[in-house]
Amino acid sequence: MTKPDGELDPLWQNLDWAIGQMLIMGWDGTEITPQIRNLIENHHLGSIILTAKNLKSAEQTASLVQELQTIAHQAGHPQPLLIALDQENGGVNSLFDEDYICQFPSAMGVAATGSTELAYSIAKATATEVSAVGVNLILGPVLDVLTNARHQPLGVRATGDDPQEASQFCIAAINGFKDAGVATCGKHFPSYGNIDFLGSSLDMPIITQTLEELSLSALVPFRNAISAGRLDAMFVGGVGIQSAGMNVMHACLSDQVVDDLLRNELGFKGVAISECLEMQSLIQEYGVKGGTVMAVEAGNDLVLLCRAHDVQLEAISGLKLGVENGIISKERIHTSLKRVLKMKSACTSWQKALNPPGLSLLSKIHPSHLALSRKAYDQSITVVRDKDHLLPLSQSLLQEEELLLLTPLVKPLPASAATKSLLEKGTKANPSLHDRWIHQERGAIMSGEGVFRELGRSIARIRNGKLLHTSYTANGLRPVHENLINRASAIIIVTADANRNMYQTGFTKHIAMMCHMLRGTGQKKSLIVVAVSSPYDFAMDKSIGTYICTFDFTETAMASLVRALYGEITPQGSMPGTMRKSKKVSKTRQQWLVENYDRERDGPALEELLRTLARSSTPNLPYLTTSAHSFELFNPHIEEAHFVVRNSSTKTLYGFVATYFTKGLGAIGALFVDPTKRNVSIGRSLHRRALRALLQKKGLKTLQLGLTFPGVFPGVPVDESGSNKSWFDNVGWDTQFPKRLTNMVIDDLGAWTAPEGLLQSIQRASISFDLIHSLDNAESVLNHVATHAGPEVVELYRFALQETNTSGVVRAKNSVDNLLGTVIICTAASRLSTYIPALHSIHGEDIGGIIAPIVPSTAQSRLILQGLAFMGVRQNKAHKSAKSVLSWVLDEAHEPLAAMGFEVQQTFDEITNSPENVSLSACLNLIHIR
């Protein structure tokens, strides 16, 4: 354990105990072995990884984990074991139990639904289930971007090929995991999304992209997930990197990757977990002892060794030698130890670890999770093309006509009843009607055949047993195939990663050509191709007229496929990533009805929309601390009008825009759209309506994007891709010369001290400060603000001065009482936190505000600004605030504040244009839309 001040308990001064906490190990077998017991009891192993080889059922898993924790507890471990599990869904689940553990779509399948809300719900359900059996660390989500999507082995385990979309879905998943109480581990840093095998005898995958290329694409979800602040750990891959600027054989053994890139550049402060060091390439290159020491030197906190006990003991010995040889310092070990113990404290306790709820909880939640599973799979099924309107089959194929199902031989997925049944011995049941129809090639691999047998049975049941079903292999088209094709009026071909199993591509194209030729002779030969893994098999091949994607071939996915084929559901999924966006181009001229915002009618729906956006956004966007009340000022000096796009039947809001007008300034203070409804013109429709409302205002002199009162969005949020500004460029705004506004924060106000010499410098400059709390003596302040800032800032000051008990204004003056600068300060109880989300706490701590410093540019500007900030911090400390938020500073003024200990929290670009420059005609003729 760690003490409150962060110092380690004396127990951890024992090197054996400390080293044990830096290792994560596994074993083969479904029962505790003497070897794993020895590691926990005698080598103080602190973390366990479980795999499918350890787990038979939910009940057995709960019992196994409880036994592991009991061994650790009795052996004197101060904190419980970390119990880690791969449970990605789709085809990658370590724990399968159809009676208690639900199957959900793969990451790409979830992305195909277009719903980050669903991603959150699935992640929370998955984490709740594994937590019930004692797991406290999920090795997920997969943060990789498929930059070479069609040929990557990662496939549907990744969200897709669009970095921003991957970020949204991964952050939603992280939030779901965390809200269920488990720790999260992003993977596979720096990326498995574009790897090459360059012919090495050891088959070491290599990244050939430069760091600049990685930063623009592959690293984006990693960066955003880290910024979101809820990622506990990062799994560092074993890939090599061969590019300009970096030549690394194993990423997880390189300080350039772990310490420099992950920690220093991306700012990750959590636990770094290495790839398994039992890789043959690593053993051959460095040996396990040397590799383990290198992994720790590189910056990893947990070193993974999956199952070989002799190798695990060698790793322990290697770490001890590393310390004895002076390669690894005790300080380095204690740094990792603190990170690991902090993660343990957040996700487990002895009370929780020794008493997993097990089946009692799982049986209660199973019905609702089954419903969620069915909903998710049904919404993921994607019809990419149906040129000849073959779907549903109930309308295009007569009952008496023959249907042929052609399926490849593939290995069953771990999360599959087929896998389980293959492991269980038993007598063959009486053959079903479908079994009698199935045609099996001699020598067929029965495990591969069994994967799609239930699919055939399900279709056969709908067709009263009338289905032809056979498999195909790399042997190509055989006489049995030709005979069945001649009999059938419709053919369904299933492919599974055809881009990596090229025989499937050749076979499918051959069948497509045969069907085309036979149709030319007047025969009915309908062809449907179903990709059950990677959606890229025939996504771009227009010769395949009807093309469906399921994103995995678990029994649950195949059941949804059957419902889609026969019209029980209308497939609503879409191709993830860039292909989804390109498909939506055809919808860009869609016009949406925009209505006036009605507080009573739309308030609850706006709150729900904000929650949805919070779950799929990084914390540098203010949705988490914003409410529907944040947009309504009820200020007599500011006119406001807000608009929504809504579903009048379900009362759901698809998008919202807020507009304000005061003294010649018309501003769009917020514009946001449900993440699942983007790229279909909702943002453009809202923007056009907002401009129309503002352009009708008499006396309009300036149009502005962003507003500081209310300060939900002081400007357009700055993102590395520039996509936000680019969107406004495309709707007619000139964004070339923005005003940069930065929110800053001191996170630990109790530990903050004033920079040395600051007070003396202020005294030498004869600058004095005072604090006013009402409008009685405020005329000079309001005149000062009106001279140097916009009219909305004047109203912000007026509001603060009216809140006499919770806010006030600090004035900076020179020796002759001339006003040099002003700033608002407020306590946590101030109503300003409603309108400025940066002041609102999500964790319950008190936040003091230092708001809108107005300091004209002079030789003393830097010192005056620092003095105002210092007075604000001093007031915040006096009111027992835990942190100080400074919202906002202009342009480069954040630099002198950074010297005082403030850190950048959020950055916005306020954009102003003349009304003539932002024309409605430009909006009406746009092609690019949000």
Side-chain angles (χ1 to χ4, degrees), residues 785-845:
V785 176
T787 302
H788 300 290
E792 80 278 19
V793 185
V794 176
E795 295 308 318
L796 173 61
Y797 268 74
R798 196 190 308 275
F799 183 94
L801 287 165
Q802 289 171 331
E803 283 216 316
T804 55
N805 294 325
T806 58
S807 62
V809 172
V810 174
R811 301 183 294 188
K813 298 180 179 181
N814 63 13
S815 57
V816 293
D817 219 29
N818 290 330
L819 194 58
L820 302 175
T822 59
V823 70
I824 298 168
I825 59 166
C826 66
T827 69
S830 171
R831 287 196 302 132
L832 280 170
S833 64
T834 300
Y835 303 111
I836 303 176
L839 303 179
H840 188 80
S841 169
I842 58 174
H843 302 299
E845 75 268 53

Coordinates of all heavy atoms in Angstrom, one line a residue, residues 785-845:
V785 N -13.6 47.5 -19.1 CA -13.9 46.3 -19.8 C -14.5 46.6 -21.2 O -14.1 46.0 -22.2 CB -14.8 45.4 -19.0 CG1 -15.2 44.2 -19.8 CG2 -14.1 45.0 -17.7
A786 N -15.4 47.6 -21.2 CA -16.0 48.0 -22.5 C -15.0 48.5 -23.5 O -15.1 48.3 -24.7 CB -17.1 49.0 -22.3
T787 N -14.0 49.2 -23.0 CA -12.9 49.7 -23.9 C -12.0 48.6 -24.5 O -11.6 48.7 -25.6 CB -12.1 50.7 -23.1 OG1 -12.9 51.7 -22.6 CG2 -11.0 51.3 -24.0
H788 N -11.8 47.6 -23.7 CA -10.7 46.6 -24.1 C -11.3 45.2 -24.4 O -10.5 44.3 -24.7 CB -9.7 46.5 -23.0 CG -9.0 47.8 -22.7 ND1 -8.1 48.4 -23.6 CD2 -9.1 48.7 -21.6 CE1 -7.6 49.5 -23.1 NE2 -8.2 49.7 -21.9
A789 N -12.6 45.0 -24.3 CA -13.2 43.7 -24.6 C -14.5 43.9 -25.2 O -15.1 45.0 -25.4 CB -13.2 42.9 -23.3
G790 N -15.2 42.8 -25.6 CA -16.4 42.8 -26.3 C -17.6 43.0 -25.3 O -17.4 42.9 -24.1
P791 N -18.8 43.3 -25.9 CA -19.9 43.6 -25.0 C -20.4 42.5 -24.1 O -20.9 42.7 -23.0 CB -21.0 44.0 -26.0 CG -20.6 43.4 -27.3 CD -19.1 43.4 -27.3
E792 N -20.1 41.2 -24.6 CA -20.5 40.1 -23.8 C -19.7 40.0 -22.5 O -20.1 39.5 -21.5 CB -20.5 38.8 -24.6 CG -19.1 38.1 -24.8 CD -18.3 38.7 -25.9 OE1 -18.6 39.9 -26.3 OE2 -17.4 38.1 -26.3
V793 N -18.4 40.4 -22.6 CA -17.5 40.4 -21.4 C -18.0 41.4 -20.4 O -17.9 41.2 -19.2 CB -16.0 40.7 -21.9 CG1 -15.1 40.5 -20.7 CG2 -15.6 39.7 -23.0
V794 N -18.5 42.6 -20.9 CA -19.1 43.6 -20.0 C -20.2 42.9 -19.2 O -20.3 43.1 -18.0 CB -19.6 44.8 -20.8 CG1 -20.3 45.8 -19.8 CG2 -18.5 45.5 -21.5
E795 N -21.1 42.1 -19.9 CA -22.2 41.5 -19.2 C -21.7 40.4 -18.2 O -22.3 40.2 -17.2 CB -23.2 40.9 -20.2 CG -23.8 41.9 -21.1 CD -24.5 43.0 -20.3 OE1 -25.1 42.7 -19.2 OE2 -24.4 44.2 -20.7
L796 N -20.6 39.8 -18.6 CA -20.0 38.8 -17.6 C -19.6 39.5 -16.3 O -19.8 39.0 -15.2 CB -18.8 38.1 -18.3 CG -18.0 37.2 -17.5 CD1 -18.8 36.0 -17.0 CD2 -16.8 36.7 -18.3
Y797 N -18.9 40.6 -16.5 CA -18.5 41.4 -15.3 C -19.7 41.9 -14.5 O -19.7 41.9 -13.3 CB -17.6 42.6 -15.7 CG -16.1 42.3 -15.8 CD1 -15.5 41.5 -16.8 CD2 -15.3 42.7 -14.8 CE1 -14.2 41.2 -16.8 CE2 -13.9 42.5 -14.8 CZ -13.4 41.7 -15.8 OH -12.0 41.4 -15.8
R798 N -20.7 42.4 -15.2 CA -21.9 42.9 -14.5 C -22.5 41.8 -13.7 O -22.9 42.0 -12.6 CB -22.9 43.4 -15.6 CG -23.9 44.3 -14.9 CD -25.0 44.6 -16.0 NE -24.5 45.2 -17.2 CZ -24.3 46.4 -17.4 NH1 -24.4 47.3 -16.4 NH2 -23.8 46.9 -18.6
F799 N -22.6 40.6 -14.3 CA -23.2 39.4 -13.6 C -22.4 39.1 -12.4 O -22.9 38.8 -11.3 CB -23.2 38.2 -14.6 CG -23.8 37.0 -14.0 CD1 -25.2 36.7 -14.2 CD2 -23.1 36.1 -13.2 CE1 -25.8 35.6 -13.7 CE2 -23.7 34.9 -12.7 CZ -25.0 34.7 -12.9
A800 N -21.0 39.1 -12.5 CA -20.2 38.7 -11.3 C -20.3 39.8 -10.2 O -20.3 39.4 -9.0 CB -18.7 38.7 -11.8
L801 N -20.4 41.0 -10.6 CA -20.5 42.1 -9.6 C -21.9 42.1 -8.8 O -22.0 42.6 -7.7 CB -20.3 43.5 -10.2 CG -18.8 43.7 -10.6 CD1 -18.7 44.9 -11.5 CD2 -18.0 44.0 -9.3
Q802 N -22.9 41.5 -9.5 CA -24.2 41.4 -8.8 C -24.2 40.2 -7.8 O -25.1 40.2 -7.0 CB -25.3 41.2 -9.9 CG -25.5 42.4 -10.7 CD -26.5 42.2 -11.9 OE1 -26.5 41.1 -12.4 NE2 -27.2 43.2 -12.3
E803 N -23.3 39.3 -8.0 CA -23.2 38.1 -7.1 C -22.3 38.5 -5.9 O -21.2 38.0 -5.8 CB -22.6 36.9 -7.8 CG -23.7 36.2 -8.7 CD -23.4 34.7 -8.7 OE1 -22.3 34.3 -8.7 OE2 -24.4 34.0 -8.5
T804 N -22.8 39.3 -5.0 CA -21.9 39.9 -4.0 C -21.3 38.9 -3.0 O -20.2 39.2 -2.5 CB -22.7 41.0 -3.2 OG1 -23.9 40.4 -2.7 CG2 -23.1 42.1 -4.1
N805 N -21.9 37.8 -2.8 CA -21.4 36.8 -1.8 C -20.4 35.8 -2.3 O -19.7 35.2 -1.6 CB -22.6 36.1 -1.1 CG -23.4 37.0 -0.3 OD1 -22.9 38.0 0.3 ND2 -24.7 36.8 -0.3
T806 N -20.5 35.6 -3.6 CA -19.7 34.5 -4.2 C -18.7 34.9 -5.3 O -17.9 34.1 -5.7 CB -20.6 33.4 -4.8 OG1 -21.4 34.0 -5.8 CG2 -21.4 32.8 -3.7
S807 N -18.7 36.2 -5.6 CA -17.7 36.6 -6.7 C -17.5 38.1 -6.5 O -18.2 38.8 -5.8 CB -18.3 36.3 -8.1 OG -19.5 37.0 -8.3
G808 N -16.4 38.6 -7.2 CA -16.1 40.0 -7.1 C -15.1 40.3 -8.2 O -14.7 39.4 -9.0
V809 N -14.5 41.5 -8.2 CA -13.6 41.9 -9.2 C -12.3 42.5 -8.5 O -12.4 43.3 -7.7 CB -14.2 42.9 -10.2 CG1 -13.1 43.5 -11.1 CG2 -15.3 42.3 -11.0
V810 N -11.2 41.9 -8.9 CA -9.9 42.5 -8.4 C -9.4 43.5 -9.4 O -9.4 43.3 -10.6 CB -8.8 41.4 -8.3 CG1 -7.5 42.0 -8.0 CG2 -9.2 40.3 -7.3
R811 N -9.1 44.7 -8.9 CA -8.6 45.8 -9.7 C -7.1 46.0 -9.4 O -6.6 45.9 -8.3 CB -9.3 47.1 -9.4 CG -10.8 47.0 -9.6 CD -11.5 48.4 -9.3 NE -11.4 48.8 -7.9 CZ -12.0 49.9 -7.4 NH1 -12.8 50.6 -8.2 NH2 -11.9 50.2 -6.1
A812 N -6.3 46.2 -10.5 CA -4.9 46.5 -10.4 C -4.8 48.0 -10.7 O -5.3 48.5 -11.7 CB -4.1 45.7 -11.4
K813 N -4.1 48.7 -9.8 CA -3.9 50.2 -10.0 C -2.5 50.6 -9.9 O -1.7 49.9 -9.2 CB -4.8 50.9 -9.0 CG -6.3 50.7 -9.0 CD -7.0 51.4 -7.9 CE -8.5 51.2 -8.0 NZ -9.2 52.0 -7.0
N814 N -2.1 51.7 -10.4 CA -0.8 52.3 -10.3 C -0.8 53.2 -9.1 O -1.8 53.4 -8.4 CB -0.3 52.9 -11.5 CG -1.1 54.1 -12.0 OD1 -1.9 54.6 -11.2 ND2 -0.9 54.6 -13.2
S815 N 0.3 53.9 -8.9 CA 0.5 54.8 -7.7 C -0.4 56.0 -7.7 O -0.6 56.5 -6.6 CB 2.0 55.2 -7.6 OG 2.3 55.9 -8.8
V816 N -0.9 56.4 -8.9 CA -1.8 57.5 -8.9 C -3.3 57.0 -9.1 O -4.1 57.8 -9.6 CB -1.4 58.5 -10.0 CG1 -0.1 59.2 -9.7 CG2 -1.4 57.8 -11.4
D817 N -3.5 55.8 -8.8 CA -4.9 55.2 -8.7 C -5.5 55.0 -10.1 O -6.7 54.9 -10.3 CB -5.8 56.1 -7.9 CG -6.8 55.3 -7.1 OD1 -6.4 54.2 -6.7 OD2 -7.9 55.8 -6.8
N818 N -4.7 55.0 -11.2 CA -5.2 54.7 -12.5 C -5.4 53.2 -12.6 O -4.6 52.4 -12.2 CB -4.3 55.1 -13.6 CG -4.2 56.6 -13.7 OD1 -5.2 57.3 -13.4 ND2 -3.1 57.2 -14.1
L819 N -6.5 52.8 -13.3 CA -6.8 51.4 -13.4 C -5.9 50.7 -14.5 O -5.9 51.2 -15.7 CB -8.3 51.2 -13.9 CG -8.9 49.8 -13.7 CD1 -8.8 49.3 -12.3 CD2 -10.4 49.9 -14.2
L820 N -5.2 49.7 -14.1 CA -4.3 49.0 -15.0 C -4.9 47.7 -15.6 O -4.5 47.2 -16.7 CB -3.0 48.7 -14.3 CG -2.2 49.9 -13.7 CD1 -1.0 49.4 -13.0 CD2 -1.8 50.9 -14.9
G821 N -5.7 47.0 -14.8 CA -6.3 45.7 -15.2 C -7.3 45.2 -14.3 O -7.4 45.7 -13.1
T822 N -8.1 44.3 -14.7 CA -9.1 43.7 -13.8 C -9.2 42.2 -14.1 O -8.8 41.7 -15.1 CB -10.5 44.4 -14.1 OG1 -10.8 44.1 -15.5 CG2 -10.5 45.8 -13.9
V823 N -9.8 41.5 -13.1 CA -10.1 40.1 -13.3 C -11.3 39.7 -12.3 O -11.4 40.3 -11.2 CB -8.9 39.2 -13.0 CG1 -8.5 39.2 -11.5 CG2 -9.1 37.8 -13.5
I824 N -12.1 38.8 -12.7 CA -13.2 38.3 -11.9 C -12.6 37.2 -11.0 O -11.9 36.3 -11.6 CB -14.4 37.8 -12.7 CG1 -15.0 39.0 -13.5 CG2 -15.4 37.2 -11.9 CD1 -16.0 38.6 -14.6
I825 N -13.0 37.1 -9.8 CA -12.7 35.9 -9.0 C -14.1 35.4 -8.4 O -15.0 36.2 -8.2 CB -11.7 36.2 -7.8 CG1 -12.3 37.3 -6.9 CG2 -10.4 36.5 -8.4 CD1 -11.6 37.4 -5.6
C826 N -14.2 34.1 -8.2 CA -15.4 33.6 -7.7 C -15.1 32.3 -6.9 O -14.1 31.6 -7.1 CB -16.4 33.3 -8.8 SG -15.9 32.0 -9.9
T827 N -16.0 32.0 -6.0 CA -15.9 30.7 -5.2 C -16.7 29.6 -5.9 O -17.4 29.8 -6.9 CB -16.5 30.9 -3.8 OG1 -18.0 31.1 -4.0 CG2 -16.0 32.2 -3.1
A828 N -16.5 28.4 -5.4 CA -17.2 27.2 -5.9 C -18.7 27.4 -5.9 O -19.4 26.8 -6.7 CB -16.8 26.0 -5.2
A829 N -19.3 28.2 -5.0 CA -20.7 28.4 -4.9 C -21.3 29.3 -5.9 O -22.5 29.5 -6.0 CB -21.1 28.8 -3.5
S830 N -20.5 30.0 -6.7 CA -21.0 31.0 -7.6 C -21.8 30.4 -8.7 O -21.5 29.3 -9.2 CB -19.8 31.8 -8.2 OG -20.2 32.6 -9.3
R831 N -22.8 31.2 -9.2 CA -23.7 30.7 -10.3 C -22.9 30.8 -11.6 O -23.4 30.3 -12.6 CB -24.9 31.5 -10.4 CG -25.9 31.2 -9.3 CD -27.3 31.8 -9.6 NE -27.3 33.2 -9.8 CZ -27.8 33.8 -10.8 NH1 -28.4 33.2 -11.8 NH2 -27.8 35.2 -10.9
L832 N -21.7 31.4 -11.6 CA -20.9 31.4 -12.8 C -20.6 30.1 -13.3 O -20.4 29.8 -14.5 CB -19.7 32.3 -12.6 CG -19.8 33.8 -12.6 CD1 -18.6 34.5 -12.2 CD2 -20.2 34.3 -14.1
S833 N -20.5 29.1 -12.4 CA -20.1 27.7 -12.8 C -21.2 27.1 -13.7 O -20.9 26.2 -14.5 CB -19.9 26.8 -11.6 OG -21.0 26.7 -10.8
T834 N -22.4 27.6 -13.6 CA -23.4 27.1 -14.6 C -23.1 27.5 -16.0 O -23.3 26.7 -16.9 CB -24.8 27.7 -14.2 OG1 -25.1 27.3 -12.8 CG2 -25.9 27.2 -15.1
Y835 N -22.6 28.7 -16.2 CA -22.3 29.2 -17.5 C -20.9 29.0 -18.0 O -20.6 29.3 -19.2 CB -22.7 30.7 -17.5 CG -24.1 31.0 -17.1 CD1 -24.4 31.6 -15.9 CD2 -25.2 30.5 -17.9 CE1 -25.7 31.8 -15.5 CE2 -26.5 30.7 -17.5 CZ -26.8 31.3 -16.3 OH -28.1 31.5 -15.9
I836 N -20.0 28.7 -17.1 CA -18.6 28.5 -17.5 C -18.2 27.1 -17.0 O -17.8 26.9 -15.9 CB -17.7 29.5 -16.9 CG1 -18.1 30.9 -17.3 CG2 -16.2 29.3 -17.3 CD1 -17.3 32.1 -16.7
P837 N -18.4 26.0 -17.9 CA -18.2 24.7 -17.4 C -16.9 24.3 -16.8 O -16.8 23.4 -16.0 CB -18.4 23.9 -18.7 CG -19.3 24.7 -19.6 CD -18.9 26.1 -19.3
A838 N -15.9 25.1 -17.2 CA -14.5 24.8 -16.6 C -14.5 25.0 -15.1 O -13.6 24.5 -14.4 CB -13.5 25.8 -17.3
L839 N -15.5 25.8 -14.6 CA -15.5 26.0 -13.1 C -16.3 24.9 -12.4 O -16.4 24.9 -11.2 CB -16.2 27.4 -12.9 CG -15.5 28.6 -13.5 CD1 -16.3 29.8 -13.1 CD2 -14.1 28.7 -13.1
H840 N -16.9 24.0 -13.2 CA -17.8 23.0 -12.6 C -17.0 21.7 -12.3 O -16.4 21.2 -13.2 CB -19.0 22.8 -13.5 CG -20.1 21.9 -12.8 ND1 -21.0 22.4 -12.0 CD2 -20.3 20.6 -13.0 CE1 -21.8 21.4 -11.6 NE2 -21.4 20.3 -12.2
S841 N -17.2 21.2 -11.1 CA -16.4 20.0 -10.8 C -17.2 18.8 -11.1 O -18.4 18.7 -10.8 CB -16.0 20.0 -9.3 OG -15.5 18.8 -8.9
I842 N -16.6 17.7 -11.6 CA -17.2 16.4 -11.8 C -16.9 15.5 -10.7 O -17.5 14.4 -10.5 CB -16.8 15.8 -13.1 CG1 -15.3 15.6 -13.2 CG2 -17.3 16.6 -14.3 CD1 -14.8 14.9 -14.5
H843 N -15.9 15.8 -9.8 CA -15.5 14.9 -8.7 C -15.9 15.5 -7.4 O -15.5 14.9 -6.3 CB -14.0 14.7 -8.8 CG -13.5 14.1 -10.1 ND1 -13.9 12.9 -10.5 CD2 -12.7 14.6 -11.0 CE1 -13.4 12.6 -11.7 NE2 -12.6 13.7 -12.0
G844 N -16.6 16.6 -7.3 CA -17.1 17.1 -6.1 C -16.1 18.1 -5.3 O -16.5 18.6 -4.3
E845 N -14.9 18.3 -5.8 CA -14.0 19.2 -5.1 C -14.4 20.6 -5.5 O -15.0 20.9 -6.5 CB -12.5 18.9 -5.5 CG -12.1 19.4 -6.9 CD -12.3 18.4 -8.0 OE1 -13.4 17.8 -8.1 OE2 -11.3 18.2 -8.7

